[in-house]
Amino acid sequence: MSKGKIIVISAPSGCGKSTIINSILDKESFDLSFSVSATNRAPRQGEEDGVHYHFLSTEKFRDAVAAGEFIEWEEVYPGRYYGTLRSEVDRIINSGHNVILDIDVRGALNVKKIYGNTARTIFIMPPSIGELRHRLEGRGTDSPEVIDTRIDRAEYEISLAPDFDIQIVNDVLDTAVSETTTAIKDFLQ
Ligand code: 5GP
């Protein structure tokens, strides 16, 4: 198994990305460590600073941008910044492990541009926009307006899917998990 490689996983909201990643990391003994991103959004219930994210004020986030501390950063939602810290990725790679990044689509493509063949980008997509809408409505957590915004964003993100190294359709969860597992295994071997 190789060291110092970067797996980047992106998906539109509601495509089961976290479920797929967690299920793989629970089952497989891949030598993969999560890079903890920085964000200026507030912690959600149960989220810990330094574990789920490095939670920064907007000012501190901007300072970090100016100081060149990010490999990439994006305004994923209006006023909400997220960035991959160079110090995190370097720490994982220098300690002889591989990195897994769960970042947005534009961030993923930037990481690929920077790291080339050292990075493999995986895009998880819904079977169709209709099915994604059905899932988001089924969750019952979002208003119709929020669902419309998510769908618009998903359409934009899906338009960038061909630029990823690998595209996986999450129709049947077990199949998506096993296809993602195979993709990671192939890359790390
Ligand atoms: P959430 O606020 O739900 O934790 O994350 C929102 C979005 O931000 C997700 O799509 C997540 O993948 C993305 N994200 C998290 N960290 C980073 C990062 O470091 N860079 C970029 N570009 N996106 C990120």
Side-chain angles (χ1 to χ4, degrees), residues 5 23 27 39 56 94-95 185 189:
K5 291 187 171 179
S23 133
K27 272 197 310 225
T39 183
L56 305 182
N94 293 337
S95 60
K185 224 175 244 168
Q189 254 156 22

Side-chain angles (χ1 to χ4, degrees), residues 17 37 41 44 53 72 74 82-84 102-104 107:
K17 176 180 59 173
S37 293
R41 82 151 163 79
R44 295 187 188 121
Y53 283 102
E72 63 74 35
E74 294 288 338
Y82 296 82
T84 306
D102 165 358
I103 63 178
D104 97 301

